[in-house]
Amino acid sequence: CPVSGGPWRRAPPPSPAARPTSPTPSGARPPVPAAAPPEAWWTASGLGLGLLSALLAVGVATAAVRRDPRRGTGGPYRAVVLPLRRLHSGLLGDYVAWLAVGLAALLVALTAQL
């Protein structure tokens, strides 16, 4: 099924009635009307969720990296990082399994939008 629309679709050529055929009496062509500015795609909720995701990612990374070995495993490390390390041992099979889980989740999310 060919994709209709999208940014790569060519606009049809203007009709002969829409094109100016003769210059104005002063010799200049009439001005072309300005296009409307594009609509903003950012929303407040989208921006907030993006910032929340970034802050959570920084928090998990900080908990994984900044661990004081003299004090043992602290609260954030024990609560967040240890379960993640148990789920992913770093072997090739783990990478393949999590890739499959991620792709399945992406496909479910995409089909839910249709």
Side-chain angles (χ1 to χ4, degrees):
C1 157
V3 175
S4 62
W8 53 86
R9 191 175 120 190
R10 283 193 188 183
S15 66
R19 288 182 285 193
T21 55
S22 63
T24 59
S26 65
R29 296 213 180 259
V32 178
E39 228 178 90
W41 289 91
W42 290 29
T43 61
S45 63
L47 188 62
L49 288 173
L51 289 173
L52 178 66
S53 300
L55 288 174
L56 285 174
V58 167
V60 169
T62 303
V65 172
R66 298 193 62 143
R67 180 175 66 109
D68 189 6
R70 292 173 284 162
R71 294 188 324 181
T73 56
Y77 183 82
R78 187 178 298 124
V80 176
V81 178
L82 283 180
L84 290 176
R85 291 204 175 168
R86 287 185 188 122
L87 285 174
H88 183 63
S89 65
L91 299 175
L92 181 62
D94 285 344
Y95 287 105
V96 173
W98 285 112
L99 178 66
V101 168
L103 285 175
L106 181 64
L107 289 175
V108 166
L110 288 175
T111 55
Q113 290 182 354
L114 298 176

